[in-house]
Amino acid sequence: MHNQLEDSLAQRILVLDGAMGTMIQQHDLTEEDFRNDQLKDHESPLKGNNDLLSITRPDIILDIHRDYLEAGADIIETNTFSSTSIAQSDYDLEELVYDLNYQSAKLAKQAANEYTAKTPDKPRFVAGSVGPTNRTASLSPDVNNPGYRAVNFDDLQDAYREQINGLLDGGCDILLIETIFDTLNAKAALFACEQVFDERGQKWPIMVSGTITDASGRTLSGQTPEAFLISVSHAPLLSVGFNCALGAEQLEPYLERVAKETDFYTSAHPNAGLPNEFGEYDQSPDMMAGQIEEYLKSNLVNIIGGCCGTTPQHTKIIAETASKYEPRKRKETVNG
């Protein structure tokens, strides 16, 4: 599967899917949708724990995957952005973490296999979504105690190992460490990947995607795009790039800086513009694809997709636009 992925990347720009949460919000879900027989008496409220739907409403998640594949996605992400023991502790569901990842990966793989069977010349891939957790290892959540940390490297590494094992057992082709606001968290995830690969005697491709949080052009923990790139380049990555926080237009200069500096493939999955006063994303598929086309003209990306506010309609127009352009040539390719 790794060779198929490399072959596909050499031939064309690959399309990553869009937002899972945006699609889930279109369903009028109640607390009962987030429960099954096992969880019917669970004391903590569960509504809003979208990752849990992979177990309690797999029909919804499978349909969303199929919608993105039908729209032209080459890579779909598992519904596991918050499937670590650290994030699931908010719901007192730490014991379900392995199963969340395993079942989410199985669902995505089922959908991907269906579409690969339809178009064998265009294989579809599953990226295991490894989110940043809701804690940061580099910053204190307490302004009066700057030395305090709500989580440490070892805690993160253990949580990520559990997640990664579930994702790989469920059939993921790629691991996507995404929405990185603190590179120390990402380093824990990368170290966990290394440990799991050693234990299994096999390696999987790793995508790394950071988040530029505002107009300062830095991550939340203060790194510039170049510093972020240097911080993760020790790992044997498939790709490096950015997602979330910004729309395509705002993200372009930071993506350009990384694309010029790295030998890795590059990826981007920006939001559908910036949120309005209600926190919603208004950018139309055509408008977003027009902004992404500037990436393609400038030869900045190998993998392109969407984050918050994007839908299969966005994916469809982005895929149509991307099909007209050649993939970015990596520095090592250009240099022979």
Side-chain angles (χ1 to χ4, degrees):
M1 187 58 79
H2 191 183
N3 289 340
Q4 281 188 313
L5 180 60
E6 288 279 1
D7 290 346
S8 297
L9 282 162
Q11 292 165 16
R12 64 185 192 277
I13 296 168
L14 297 190
V15 176
L16 188 67
D17 61 6
M20 176 63 73
T22 298
M23 297 301 292
I24 288 171
Q25 286 165 18
Q26 295 181 10
H27 296 265
D28 191 19
L29 300 180
T30 66
E31 179 71 26
E32 280 62 47
D33 288 299
F34 294 85
R35 294 178 181 268
N36 57 12
D37 286 345
Q38 180 187 355
L39 297 169
K40 66 179 187 296
D41 298 321
H42 192 72
E43 292 184 0
S44 301
L46 298 176
K47 186 178 178 183
N49 185 4
N50 287 345
D51 295 15
L52 194 51
L53 296 170
S54 295
I55 292 174
T56 63
R57 289 297 307 272
D59 55 311
I60 290 176
I61 304 306
L62 191 56
D63 282 348
I64 292 171
H65 287 320
R66 287 171 173 152
D67 286 346
Y68 278 119
L69 289 163
E70 188 66 35
D74 298 287
I75 304 170
I76 55 170
E77 297 176 60
T78 55
N79 180 38
T80 54
F81 186 80
S82 300
S83 293
T84 56
S85 55
I86 293 169
Q88 287 298 316
S89 66
D90 288 354
Y91 301 95
D92 300 309
L93 286 178
E94 295 94 328
E95 77 282 355
L96 267 189
V97 163
Y98 175 86
D99 205 32
L100 281 176
N101 287 285
Y102 177 75
Q103 296 298 341
S104 293
K106 271 187 72 176
L107 284 174
K109 192 64 176 174
Q110 178 185 335
N113 284 344
E114 286 174 12
Y115 277 80
T116 297
K118 290 181 183 181
T119 55
D121 58 325
K122 186 184 178 184
R124 314 301 176 99
F125 306 96
V126 172
S129 172
V130 178
T133 81
N134 49 2
R135 298 183 200 165
T136 170
S138 293
L139 302 168
S140 172
D142 182 355
V143 292
N144 297 313
N145 186 3
Y148 172 71
R149 296 291 181 269
V151 70
N152 64 39
F153 189 92
D154 289 342
D155 295 335
L156 286 163
Q157 171 203 322
D158 289 344
Y160 282 132
R161 278 180 69 183
E162 183 179 25
Q163 176 173 38
I164 290 162
N165 273 310
L167 289 170
L168 296 181
D169 286 347
C172 283
D173 307 302
I174 305 163
L175 293 169
L176 169 57
I177 301 169
E178 64 165 313
T179 321
I180 298 163
F181 56 77
D182 181 347
T183 309
L184 191 54
N185 288 39
K187 282 178 172 287
L190 288 168
F191 188 49
C193 288
E194 196 176 301
Q195 287 185 308
V196 172
F197 295 173
D198 284 348
E199 289 163 4
R200 291 171 177 255
Q202 184 181 347
K203 296 183 184 299
W204 280 260
I206 303 170
M207 297 173 63
V208 159
S209 185
T211 294
I212 301 295
T213 50
D214 56 37
S216 71
R218 292 172 181 264
T219 64
L220 186 66
S221 53
Q223 287 187 311
T224 63
E226 292 85 355
F228 168 71
L229 176 62
I230 290 166
S231 295
V232 296
S233 289
H234 65 284
L237 304 179
L238 176 74
S239 68
V240 65
F242 295 110
N243 74 291
C244 207
L246 301 176
E249 185 177 15
Q250 295 83 14
L251 192 61
E252 184 177 4
Y254 312 120
L255 183 62
E256 185 173 12
R257 283 157 63 177
V258 164
K260 286 180 176 175
E261 294 295 329
T262 186
D263 293 339
F264 300 131
Y265 292 113
T266 53
S267 74
H269 49 298
N271 292 345
L274 296 174
N276 62 25
E277 59 270 29
F278 301 108
E280 296 167 346
Y281 296 87
D282 301 324
Q283 196 167 69
S284 70
D286 286 325
M287 188 178 295
M288 186 175 180
Q291 292 180 359
I292 280 174
E293 191 161 16
E294 297 304 312
Y295 297 2
L296 310 179
K297 289 175 182 174
S298 301
N299 204 234
L300 299 183
V301 290
N302 302 97
I303 302 168
I304 188 71
C307 202
C308 302
T310 57
T311 65
Q313 288 72 38
H314 290 80
T315 301
K316 184 173 188 292
I317 306 295
I318 289 169
E320 289 169 358
T321 305
S323 69
K324 301 170 189 170
Y325 291 87
E326 292 292 309
R328 166 183 163 273
K329 295 288 186 284
R330 295 186 294 168
K331 281 167 55 181
E332 65 177 23
T333 308
V334 172
N335 296 337

